[in-house]
Amino acid sequence: MPVSLLWAVDVYGRVYSLSTRGQQWEQCRDAVLEFKRVTAVQQCCWGIACDHHIYLNVHSSDVPIRYQEETFENQRWNPMDNFSDRLLPSDRWQWSNITGLEHQPLDSFFLPSTNWEWEGDWYIDENFGGEPTEKEGWTYAIDFPATYTKDKKWNSCVRRRRWIRYRRYKATDNWATIPSEGRSGPLPDPFNDISCGGWEISEEPRGRLSLWAVSLQGKVWFREGIHHHSPEGDGWEEVSLPGEVVQISCGPGDLVWAVLWEGQLIVREGITRDCPRGSSWVVVDSPNPEAGAIHVAVGDNVVWAVTKDNKVWYRRGINSYNPRGSGWIGMIGEMVMINVGLNDQVWGISCEDRAVYFRQGVTSNELSGKAWKAVNVPRDGDIRSHSSASSSSLHSAGCFFSGEVRAQSVMRACPSSPPPDPPPVDPDEASLREADAKSPPLALVLSPSLSGGPGDPQWSNVDLEETQTHLAVGPAGVRGDAADTCSLSSVATYTLCQEEPYGADEHPLWAWVSGGGCGVDCHSQLNWFNSATALSSSVQSMSLSISPAQTAAWRKQIFEQLSERSKREMDNFKHYEQAIEQSVWVKKGAMQWWRDWKPHKWVDVRFALEQFSGPEGNQDGILFLYYNFNEEKKYLHAFINEVTILVPVLNDSKHTFAVYTAERTKQRWPIRLAAATELEMHDWLALLSVSCCDSRGIQGPPSKQALWSVTCKGDVFVCEPSPSLEACPYPTPCDQMFWHQVGGHLRLVECNSLGVVWGVGYDHTVWVYTGGYGGGFLQGLASSTDNIYTQTDVKCVYIYENQRWNPVTGYTNRGLPTDRYMWSDATGLQECTKANTKPPSPHWTWVADWAIDYGISGGTDREGWQYAADFPTSYHGHKTLKDFVRRRRWARKCKLTTTGPWQEVPPIPLSDVTIIPCGAQSIVEPIPLWAISNKGDVLCRLGVTLLTPAGTSWLHVGTDQPFKSISIGGANQVWAIARDGSAFYRGSVTAQSPSGDCWYHIPSPVRQKLQQVSVGRTSVYTVDQHGNLWFRQGLTPSCPQGSSWEHISNNVRKVSVGPLDQVWIIADKVQGSHSLSCGTVCHRLGVQPMEPKGQSWDYGIGVRPLTLPLTLTHQPIAHGAFTVICLSPEWFVSVMATVKSLYVHVPRGTVFSIAFLCYS
Amino acid sequence: MADDKDVLRDVWFGRIPTCFTLYQDEITEREAEPFYLLLPRVSFLTLVTDKVKKHFLKVMKAEDVEEMWFDFEGTPLKWHYPIGLLFDLHASNTALPWSITVHFKNFPERDLLHCPSNSVIEAHFMSSIKEADALKHKSQVINDMQKKDHKQLWMGLQNDKFDQFWAMNRKLMEYPTEEGGFRYIPFRIYLTMSDRPFIQKLFRPISSDGYTHTLGDLLKEVYPVAISRDDESKRYQVVIHGIEPLLETPLQWLSEHLSHPDNFLHISVIPVPSD
């Protein structure tokens, strides 16, 4: 769980944040003003300060917010001046945007606000569509607008070049003021409430946010244009309303609710990707007709409300089709406000003690949760005054010395307090109070709109004397008012004054809480709830948790004494007889077996594992499988020490796993078994796994030299290389290598020979290996106690909606008889409807509903459709006359939660990562590690050492465009591929300057866009989009960029170069004996120091349909540095050797085999 | 850094070298040689002494043989205490091997229980586990297990199968993370110098205000004498499995890692040897 923050404002207007790892509220020190309200999301926090301006606090990140401005310089040739800025009158501007329609001289670009700064000056972009241009960056054409080329021809009459300049958002970790400007001048009245959300409406890369605000007059405003590159947004747009709004709440998705002055609620409808503002309001009645609603809070799928009597209500029946829900359920507890944060977790401020409460037990199945639990941690100020009794600040002192508290409250409520720092009294409320004091019965009639016109200074100039007299009415009166008039939910101030005379208490009084950025769920372990011991208990609270306290003295003592005891009691007496003779132990069970002969089917078998002590005292065992054949009892057996891998195979009908031995791998026919329940399967798998490890003497965590691999299901496997693995000339046959599972779920894994292992999940989350073992179903003995953490992964399941056009009704879901299913998978062969499509395995659970996927390659129209002339051809995002079919992709997110020896490396999600294969000899020497974020930023990790494999921080390496592939090889050679297909070499990367100094654009092979790069010791190989493999020629120490690309091969999907320049590829369309195969692992033969590009391919192992008889001959390939294993079916996707990666990407479900490589 | 799992192995595979000698007054046909054996600390005497019996029966007449029992320096050894506990309690500061005297006559009815067969040991062992689980999980875990699972626990102990035993026992050691520990810690404190066989009380691993109880807290509550004050020299050793854990060791951790197979934490409080 990465660290995230819960934000809150106390009744004095001070902003605090509480870290999920922390145990105290940290005051936001740089907030010079008092705040009324805050609304947080993960990347930033918005707030309304007491000056009624809106402020934005963007959290700093290793990747800066930068925006690329561009403009084009246009020139025309004439015989006199050659190319010059003298253009024809009909031509475009001399400086223009890309279309030529807008005049854009360099000096017309301004920073959007004072929160931005220029990174540097304007410069010329010399990259033209992935190819470097001549020095000046000019591209030529016959005329505007036309196709530009980088070469000047005889008929090139015009030319243009692109200038770029970056600006950077500098006001991070600071409250930056947001001007209250609408489209047409300043807004008429100040803000009263604010709510941020909506990031799930559109897909991630743009990072769009919705910000809703309520003005004092009850108008609602929507802030336009907030996204990653524009955290502040552009301006406010008014949203028409059926009444006057007092408070609004916006969820992460399309849920927006607001409370009307009269106590009803309104729900925004029509919020879509194209229209995040929505289209209309629908009124929902208050839960309690006597007491109108005063507050509402919405999440992904939940709505909570508070009524004037402080009762809490939960809205039943909310889903994406019905944002209105169906009915209210009264909940226990009295709150003044409620906030729904991430994962629909609920936070509230109690009416009674003004403490922040967390709703326990909120899960996706039980969104209403179970009970309220007070967040009970001190504020940083409290601790200071505890420890040093010297009350440096009035605030912190006020908490403990009641005399001063009174002084403080007097000062706060004193009208003479300086104007720039007015007390955080809600002005409208104050004036309400004032009105109430005079005429309480009319309270409900009074609405703020009566009190002043737009921009009326009265709003900011509160008559505090009146307030004070009112407050002096006393607790009883105030209580009465509260019930009647407290329609505005920020009721902080007067309750405060009511309580203060009784001596301020040790616990803070809160006014507002926002959990929108707080990534907790009901499983999170938080140290927030028992702070009675929090201060003194930092040691004890860790003793049970997984923490450095594992090295506590008591633990050390136990370990030491136990080993002393063994020495004392056993060392001299080894010759004594053991009291208990070792015997055979048998565990039996019933299973189903996918029988070996045709017709293949599941048959009931009895299953037994016999364990005994082997000749050398090691544990060994035999698996027996008893079955009936023609009424005859037969059995099948496998020696435990011959099992090479146990693979869980989850599908939705059966809990199955496969047992492989070397022989079975050659036959491509594992023992497939199905257990009755998942639990039973896991028990067996864990037992068999321990048994196999025991028989091979493997215990504890994987060694540093271990080989890591990931299956296409995301399971992680490890192989311990044996000393004889590389023995020349008879290396261990690789189908005898033993692979055992470690917990966790990853999409790719990278390691180096020093034991630094990084992985990336399907949701781009980054994980670093912690040094533990086990996790997942490997519980108990097969798992370490330390270093096992919860791991989650999220991925999408896709289905396609297909339609055909007919002249009468247009596009309908009625296809031709020959057409594919109208709801299908990508190939169209399988019917996949929304209802019958299940998550990939029982471990995955749906976490969202089906949604149209607009991110599919080829583009879509506004409704997500892609058009084509017929199925299956290439699709495009707009309809033409020739298109008769269309399809759109639906995605549904599912989530998996497991455990494993992995710890998250927050916060930046990655798409690619590379670690230098070898290097660092000492434990403190930095290990170069580069990565590409899911947005395409190139990042260099600092502080990665053997002791700190997670490193400390990312160093952002600026690029002019997003990147997609990166590789680091020997001698810190870093090569990368940009999204436009151009290759880059990073210059001057050294241990002293880990991020290098500049990018060298390497021209791509002619007319080819590169996809992937891999760097060995001296070789650089790339693969382009058409599957060609290219070798970089002319690399020398003095010229690390090389000179030219040489074509090696075609039909290549992926390349991996080892640290000794060994070359492995995944090839398609390899001619097999019966058919063409896909995803074949091939090895380059004849690679020699003087012959770095080798001679020919060895197409050793390939994919063939499972129905063909297979005799996979595996042979030690090449010169002993590598060996190859062939482990059959659909499991292995990517394999990392100790030193370098070998990727095998195969579509799910395809049967294939794969090679592992290892390095001596 | 070693893993906590190693503690379980160390505890399980703890062995006490023992020398069995026949009591001098037993009638033998020829002189009985002493018998040397490595006894598992976590097992029970009568469960692992078949070999001893066989050894001595060779030199005795059948009519002279009644139920076998053991003593150490005149103290009859209770078979229903784990062997390691007996050793820690009575012999922890004596020289190894542990010298046990074997008797076939004059069964001390007042001190010992009869043990006619292994099924009696099994019944005793299972009832201990059930009692412990009643304390830890209100018996929920043990009741959810099947008969064969119970059998597996017993067979694991009987045949010295660590994996087999722990495959089942780990379920008894689980607890809801949000509670931070068991309901009560199953423990027994044994005193050599007391008439009471042992002390057993209800004691929670976590106090109501979230404080993690340690071994020291337990002793303070249950047997404060065992803790020496700062101003005095140490009078008692607090021994579990032959080692003296620090008093700040969390009780929950001890219960999970240093409990005997019967799921009880057997704690011996013995006087510091005077010399």
Side-chain angles (χ1 to χ4, degrees):
Chain A
M1 183 183 71
V3 178
S4 55
L5 298 177
L6 176 71
W7 290 82
V9 184
D10 74 2
V11 293
Y12 302 103
R14 291 172 301 201
V15 180
Y16 288 86
S17 61
L18 175 58
S19 154
T20 48
R21 292 260 169 84
Q23 286 192 14
Q24 64 169 355
W25 291 99
E26 303 276 353
Q27 190 176 353
C28 197
R29 298 271 168 215
D30 54 283
V32 286
L33 296 170
E34 278 88 19
F35 275 73
K36 257 172 34 169
R37 290 182 182 180
V38 291
T39 174
V41 292
Q42 265 162 325
Q43 66 268 35
C44 63
C45 183
W46 296 79
I48 304 179
C50 59
D51 62 359
H52 293 278
H53 280 298
I54 287 184
Y55 288 81
L56 167 65
N57 189 339
V58 178
H59 309 328
S60 63
S61 157
D62 288 338
V63 180
I65 297 169
R66 59 207 289 269
Y67 183 79
Q68 186 189 59
E69 300 277 16
E70 67 166 20
T71 190
F72 286 84
E73 182 184 4
N74 305 301
Q75 290 193 344
R76 180 174 282 278
W77 185 86
N78 70 52
M80 298 278 289
D81 313 306
N82 211 332
F83 278 105
S84 75
D85 52 10
R86 239 177 286 182
L87 297 158
L88 295 179
S90 60
D91 274 343
R92 53 186 60 192
W93 308 95
Q94 187 204 331
W95 292 90
S96 73
N97 67 352
I98 190 165
T99 58
L101 299 174
E102 267 176 59
H103 183 44
Q104 280 188 344
L106 291 182
D107 55 10
S108 70
F109 287 85
F110 297 104
L111 292 172
S113 73
T114 52
N115 301 327
W116 293 81
E117 64 188 0
W118 292 111
E119 264 191 7
D121 206 350
W122 287 97
Y123 63 93
I124 296 160
D125 180 20
E126 289 173 352
N127 176 8
F128 177 65
E131 285 180 57
T133 58
E134 298 300 316
K135 257 283 157 267
E136 303 272 78
W138 291 107
T139 56
Y140 298 84
I142 300 170
D143 196 3
F144 303 114
T147 318
Y148 297 86
T149 61
K150 71 186 183 101
D151 300 313
K152 188 161 102 178
K153 299 199 187 98
W154 64 271
N155 59 355
S156 301
C157 292
V158 296
R159 66 177 187 178
R160 71 168 187 188
R161 61 180 172 183
R162 180 169 176 255
W163 291 75
I164 48 184
R165 188 180 194 186
Y166 284 95
R167 56 181 159 86
R168 182 190 289 256
Y169 187 79
K170 65 174 180 185
T172 53
D173 283 343
N174 241 318
W175 291 99
T177 175
I178 302 294
S180 294
E181 298 279 331
R183 290 267 181 255
S184 49
L187 297 190
D189 59 339
F191 289 114
N192 181 46
D193 188 36
I194 190 170
S195 183
C196 190
W199 60 87
E200 283 173 7
I201 298 174
S202 48
E203 50 278 357
E204 162 57 16
R206 213 169 126 69
R208 211 197 52 77
L209 285 177
S210 297
L211 183 69
W212 298 78
V214 178
S215 73
L216 282 180
Q217 293 188 36
K219 289 182 180 162
V220 168
W221 301 82
F222 181 82
R223 184 126 183 120
E224 300 277 338
I226 306 175
H227 54 85
H228 276 311
H229 293 302
S230 168
E232 305 155 288
D234 306 329
W236 295 102
E237 287 284 338
E238 190 173 348
V239 179
S240 61
L241 286 171
E244 280 168 12
V245 168
V246 288
Q247 190 256 331
I248 196 161
S249 178
C250 167
D254 53 7
L255 217 49
V256 175
W257 281 54
V259 181
L260 291 181
W261 178 253
E262 288 81 12
Q264 301 104 314
L265 296 126
I266 49 174
V267 184
R268 191 70 176 167
E269 294 199 320
I271 293 178
T272 63
R273 180 173 176 271
D274 297 317
C275 179
R277 290 174 52 181
S279 50
S280 58
W281 296 102
V282 183
V283 178
V284 169
D285 280 335
S286 163
N288 180 351
E290 272 95 65
I294 53 164
H295 191 96
V296 68
V298 306
D300 255 322
N301 288 304
V302 295
V303 173
W304 291 72
V306 178
T307 45
K308 282 178 185 152
D309 49 5
N310 293 321
K311 289 256 159 48
V312 178
W313 302 83
Y314 172 81
R315 185 78 177 169
R316 187 151 57 78
I318 302 272
N319 58 47
S320 50
Y321 308 107
N322 182 14
R324 273 178 272 176
S326 50
W328 293 103
I329 303 171
M331 306 302 276
I332 306 266
E334 296 204 333
M335 298 282 162
V336 291
M337 65 90 58
I338 287 217
N339 185 269
V340 178
L342 294 179
N343 308 316
D344 286 338
Q345 300 297 309
V346 184
W347 310 87
I349 292 175
S350 131
C351 178
E352 189 187 348
D353 58 358
R354 289 282 175 165
V356 172
Y357 278 77
F358 173 59
R359 185 79 183 167
Q360 275 194 305
V362 174
T363 63
S364 54
N365 298 324
E366 196 175 354
L367 287 166
S368 57
K370 294 203 173 84
W372 296 106
K373 195 168 185 185
V375 172
N376 191 8
V377 298
R379 292 166 296 181
D380 49 355
D382 302 347
I383 292 171
R384 210 176 34 245
S385 51
H386 263 298
S387 56
S388 73
S390 72
S391 49
S392 55
S393 88
L394 191 59
H395 291 348
S396 57
C399 298
F400 295 96
F401 306 107
S402 54
E404 284 179 42
V405 168
R406 215 163 285 132
Q408 184 190 357
S409 71
V410 168
M411 198 199 81
R412 299 217 132 260
C414 174
S416 67
S417 55
D421 184 16
V425 176
D426 217 352
D428 58 325
E429 199 176 81
S431 49
L432 265 180
R433 292 291 99 69
E434 174 190 341
D436 294 348
K438 288 167 190 161
S439 53
L442 293 174
L444 276 174
V445 188
L446 277 169
S447 93
S449 56
L450 297 177
S451 309
D456 191 328
Q458 186 190 344
W459 290 113
S460 51
N461 195 359
V462 179
D463 185 352
L464 284 156
E465 221 155 22
E466 278 296 329
T467 314
Q468 223 178 355
T469 51
H470 167 72
L471 293 172
V473 167
V478 171
R479 276 273 182 243
D481 282 358
D484 291 337
T485 68
C486 164
S487 330
L488 295 176
S489 47
S490 112
V491 286
T493 15
Y494 71 100
T495 332
L496 155 75
C497 292
Q498 167 203 334
E499 287 177 14
E500 265 193 3
Y502 299 102
D505 33 66
E506 300 219 2
H507 72 266
L509 304 171
W510 296 107
W512 199 260
V513 63
S514 175
C518 188
V520 301
D521 57 36
C522 61
H523 304 298
S524 305
Q525 292 216 3
L526 296 169
N527 298 322
W528 291 356
F529 302 112
N530 43 12
S531 86
T533 53
L535 290 175
S536 56
S537 70
S538 53
V539 177
Q540 58 88 4
S541 72
M542 286 167 120
S543 61
L544 283 180
S545 65
I546 300 152
S547 71
Q550 298 292 12
T551 54
W554 58 262
R555 187 185 303 264
K556 232 165 106 189
Q557 164 112 348
I558 285 174
F559 278 93
E560 281 171 12
Q561 290 199 357
L562 275 174
S563 88
E564 257 173 54
R565 187 197 76 176
S566 304
K567 221 177 270 166
R568 183 174 70 234
E569 296 179 355
M570 284 151 74
D571 268 11
N572 293 325
F573 305 97
K574 289 222 169 101
H575 54 286
Y576 281 27
E577 206 176 325
Q578 290 284 350
I580 303 173
E581 292 298 333
Q582 287 301 308
S583 54
V584 175
W585 169 55
V586 185
K587 182 173 165 78
K588 292 177 186 162
M591 294 242 204
Q592 287 195 308
W593 171 53
W594 185 250
R595 74 178 185 192
D596 276 352
W597 61 89
K598 283 182 179 173
H600 298 298
K601 62 175 185 182
W602 291 104
V603 293
D604 289 329
V605 294
R606 281 187 305 113
F607 188 71
L609 169 65
E610 282 193 26
Q611 280 191 297
F612 46 83
S613 295
E616 288 100 40
N618 57 325
Q619 287 289 310
D620 211 338
I622 309 176
L623 266 179
F624 288 98
L625 210 147
Y626 302 94
Y627 60 94
N628 286 319
F629 180 62
N630 293 341
E631 309 291 310
E632 214 178 312
K633 285 192 172 161
K634 293 201 160 194
Y635 75 92
L636 184 113
H637 72 275
F639 293 102
I640 282 294
N641 63 12
E642 287 180 357
V643 170
T644 51
I645 190 166
L646 301 156
V647 201
V649 190
L650 289 166
N651 56 37
D652 33 71
S653 53
K654 278 203 184 309
H655 309 282
T656 71
F657 62 97
V659 181
Y660 283 87
T661 60
E663 196 56 34
R664 294 248 162 205
T665 302
K666 282 183 193 140
Q667 294 167 4
R668 302 292 305 280
W669 194 265
I671 304 174
R672 284 197 180 203
L673 295 160
T677 65
E678 192 182 345
L679 190 72
E680 212 170 295
M681 182 185 87
H682 285 164
D683 275 354
W684 272 109
L685 268 178
L687 176 70
L688 289 172
S689 183
V690 167
S691 188
C692 290
C693 286
D694 276 352
S695 77
R696 291 170 187 265
I698 294 171
Q699 250 189 40
S703 69
K704 292 189 182 342
Q705 292 77 36
L707 283 74
W708 291 78
S709 67
V710 173
T711 72
C712 68
K713 306 270 189 213
D715 292 329
V716 185
F717 282 84
V718 168
C719 173
E720 290 299 333
S722 69
S724 64
L725 187 65
E726 309 303 336
C728 239
Y730 301 112
T732 308
C734 278
D735 57 6
Q736 288 179 18
M737 287 165 73
F738 171 64
W739 292 84
H740 63 280
Q741 194 168 356
V742 298
H745 190 267
L746 297 172
R747 182 176 58 86
L748 73 88
V749 61
E750 268 277 346
C751 64
N752 72 357
S753 50
L754 301 165
V756 174
V757 186
W758 281 52
V760 178
Y762 283 77
D763 59 356
H764 303 291
T765 310
V766 190
W767 304 90
V768 65
Y769 173 63
T770 58
Y773 58 98
F777 65 83
L778 296 161
Q779 299 284 314
L781 299 173
S783 174
S784 56
T785 330
D786 312 346
N787 298 322
I788 295 290
Y789 300 92
T790 301
Q791 193 182 25
T792 59
D793 208 349
V794 175
K795 68 178 182 182
C796 281
V797 172
Y798 298 105
I799 59 172
Y800 290 82
E801 180 182 6
N802 305 301
Q803 293 194 341
R804 179 170 285 279
W805 186 84
N806 70 62
V808 186
T809 48
Y811 284 105
T812 64
N813 56 7
R814 216 172 304 168
L816 297 177
T818 54
D819 269 348
R820 54 183 55 197
Y821 294 103
M822 289 295 105
W823 288 89
S824 74
D825 65 352
T827 63
L829 300 174
Q830 199 86 41
E831 181 167 32
C832 298
T833 63
K834 282 184 181 177
N836 76 9
T837 303
K838 289 184 178 154
S841 82
H843 290 154
W844 295 88
T845 49
W846 295 125
V847 289
D849 211 337
W850 289 105
I852 294 167
D853 179 17
Y854 300 91
I856 187 167
S857 68
T860 69
D861 70 1
R862 287 166 66 88
E863 288 178 310
W865 293 103
Q866 294 190 303
Y867 297 84
D870 197 2
F871 302 115
T873 50
S874 68
Y875 299 86
H876 43 260
H878 51 91
K879 182 177 158 29
T880 67
L881 277 178
K882 282 182 271 177
D883 293 329
F884 288 98
V885 298
R886 64 177 186 178
R887 69 164 189 190
R888 62 178 166 185
R889 187 158 83 165
W890 291 77
R892 191 173 188 187
K893 275 188 189 160
C894 52
K895 182 174 181 178
L896 168 140
T897 304
T898 180
T899 56
W902 304 97
Q903 209 167 13
E904 187 171 347
V905 185
I908 297 171
L910 298 185
S911 62
D912 196 12
V913 64
T914 174
I915 310 176
I916 202 162
C918 35
Q921 297 307 312
S922 75
I923 52 171
V924 292
E925 198 174 325
I927 298 167
L929 185 152
W930 289 64
I932 291 182
S933 82
N934 67 337
K935 295 192 182 71
D937 297 298
V938 176
L939 303 164
C940 171
R941 189 74 177 171
L942 300 180
V944 178
T945 66
L946 284 179
L947 281 181
T948 55
T952 49
S953 62
W954 291 108
L955 189 63
H956 180 249
V957 180
T959 57
D960 287 342
Q961 58 171 318
F963 276 47
K964 60 184 173 188
S965 169
I966 195 157
S967 178
I968 181 167
N972 288 309
Q973 304 171 78
V974 176
W975 286 71
I977 306 291
R979 289 240 177 109
D980 71 358
S982 41
F984 286 89
Y985 171 77
R986 186 74 184 171
S988 308
V989 180
T990 61
Q992 289 72 39
S993 150
S995 63
D997 58 359
C998 65
W999 291 107
Y1000 293 94
H1001 187 175
I1002 310 294
S1004 309
V1006 183
R1007 282 187 300 281
Q1008 301 297 347
K1009 294 199 182 307
L1010 296 175
Q1011 286 284 30
Q1012 188 238 329
V1013 64
S1014 182
V1015 187
R1017 188 177 55 180
T1018 59
S1019 303
V1020 175
Y1021 280 84
T1022 57
V1023 176
D1024 70 27
Q1025 61 182 13
H1026 297 116
N1028 296 306
L1029 179 70
W1030 301 87
F1031 169 73
R1032 188 71 184 168
Q1033 280 198 322
L1035 261 69
T1036 62
S1038 56
C1039 176
Q1041 300 102 305
S1043 54
S1044 63
W1045 294 107
E1046 183 178 345
H1047 188 257
I1048 300 291
S1049 187
N1050 55 5
N1051 293 325
V1052 175
R1053 209 186 279 180
K1054 204 101 191 184
V1055 64
S1056 177
V1057 186
L1060 295 179
D1061 291 340
Q1062 312 90 328
V1063 184
W1064 290 78
I1065 57 163
I1066 312 301
D1068 284 333
K1069 296 183 191 162
V1070 171
Q1071 183 63 54
S1073 54
H1074 292 78
S1075 61
L1076 293 176
S1077 70
C1078 293
T1080 309
V1081 175
C1082 306
H1083 178 244
R1084 191 74 180 165
L1085 295 183
V1087 175
Q1088 302 282 336
M1090 301 309 293
E1091 187 87 31
K1093 57 181 196 286
Q1095 285 153 347
S1096 62
W1097 292 110
D1098 176 27
Y1099 303 100
I1101 308 129
V1103 176
R1104 297 159 217 199
L1106 196 64
T1107 48
L1108 292 176
L1110 284 179
T1111 41
L1112 279 166
T1113 51
H1114 85 273
Q1115 57 198 41
I1117 297 171
H1119 42 266
F1122 290 99
T1123 44
V1124 172
I1125 179 173
C1126 176
L1127 269 167
S1128 41
E1130 51 260 52
W1131 325 122
F1132 285 85
V1133 182
S1134 79
V1135 177
M1136 302 295 133
T1138 46
V1139 282
K1140 203 61 206 174
S1141 54
L1142 165 68
Y1143 294 80
V1144 187
H1145 283 286
V1146 181
R1148 262 190 58 225
T1150 332
V1151 179
F1152 68 96
S1153 54
I1154 184 206
F1156 295 136
L1157 79 155
C1158 47
Y1159 166 64
S1160 51
Chain B
M1 181 72 198
D3 191 82
D4 286 354
K5 289 287 178 314
D6 299 340
V7 175
L8 302 180
R9 272 181 198 278
D10 280 353
V11 164
W12 183 274
F13 291 106
R15 297 282 186 271
I16 295 166
T18 313
C19 169
F20 290 93
T21 40
L22 195 62
Y23 183 55
Q24 56 204 8
D25 292 355
E26 300 283 344
I27 304 150
T28 57
E29 295 183 310
R30 54 182 188 275
E31 195 176 345
E33 296 279 327
F35 190 73
Y36 295 94
L37 208 54
L38 284 174
L39 296 182
R41 270 179 164 270
V42 295
S43 195
F44 299 99
L45 266 180
T46 42
L47 189 60
V48 294
T49 45
D50 286 350
K51 287 180 181 176
V52 178
K53 195 170 182 178
K54 220 183 270 170
H55 172 81
F56 289 116
L57 287 188
K58 282 189 281 191
V59 297
M60 294 176 73
K61 278 196 197 131
E63 64 263 29
D64 295 327
V65 174
E66 289 164 22
E67 186 173 347
M68 181 170 67
W69 61 280
F70 307 95
D71 86 61
F72 171 71
E73 293 179 349
T75 314
L77 297 174
K78 297 185 171 72
W79 65 261
H80 63 282
Y81 285 6
I83 293 166
L85 169 68
L86 291 172
F87 179 79
D88 292 343
L89 208 53
H90 303 300
S92 58
N93 293 306
T94 61
L96 288 172
W98 186 20
S99 185
I100 292 183
T101 312
V102 183
H103 299 259
F104 287 94
K105 278 221 168 82
N106 304 324
F107 193 86
E109 304 282 347
R110 287 186 52 220
D111 296 315
L112 300 185
L113 300 172
H114 284 284
C115 179
S117 74
N118 283 355
S119 63
V120 178
I121 312 172
E122 182 181 354
H124 165 72
F125 172 71
M126 289 315 298
S127 74
S128 286
I129 286 192
K130 284 173 187 166
E131 183 182 349
D133 200 57
L135 294 168
K136 290 196 284 192
H137 311 106
K138 297 186 183 169
S139 300
Q140 277 161 1
V141 180
I142 194 79
N143 288 347
D144 282 352
M145 286 187 180
Q146 297 172 7
K147 182 77 191 139
K148 70 174 168 69
D149 300 336
H150 292 180
K151 204 76 189 169
Q152 185 169 334
L153 286 167
W154 166 245
M155 297 299 283
L157 178 75
Q158 191 180 14
N159 296 326
D160 193 25
K161 294 286 181 197
F162 175 74
D163 292 342
Q164 182 184 8
F165 177 80
W166 269 99
M168 220 25 88
N169 196 52
R170 70 176 175 84
K171 296 180 185 170
L172 294 167
M173 290 297 176
E174 287 167 357
Y175 54 86
T177 29
E178 61 268 21
E179 278 164 34
F182 301 137
R183 222 160 63 92
Y184 297 104
I185 296 290
F187 73 93
R188 282 172 188 166
I189 294 178
Y190 300 82
L191 315 163
T192 39
M193 50 288 164
S194 157
D195 296 336
R196 290 172 73 181
F198 51 78
I199 306 173
Q200 184 178 351
K201 282 184 180 168
L202 292 182
F203 196 79
R204 290 187 186 270
I206 311 272
S207 72
S208 54
D209 54 358
Y211 174 77
T212 307
H213 281 141
T214 64
L215 179 61
D217 297 328
L218 172 74
L219 290 169
K220 232 175 276 167
E221 167 89 22
V222 175
Y223 190 64
V225 182
I227 303 174
S228 45
R229 290 193 305 274
D230 290 341
D231 53 349
E232 62 184 11
S233 59
K234 190 168 137 188
R235 285 160 51 210
Y236 293 100
Q237 286 179 305
V238 178
V239 180
I240 310 172
H241 288 291
I243 64 168
E244 287 182 78
L246 292 179
L247 291 181
E248 52 265 40
T249 313
L251 205 55
Q252 175 66 31
W253 191 94
L254 282 177
S255 184
E256 281 173 62
H257 296 89
L258 292 190
S259 281
H260 274 263
D262 63 6
N263 276 257
F264 270 90
L265 198 55
H266 295 287
I267 305 167
S268 317
V269 177
I270 51 177
V272 169
S274 46
D275 46 40

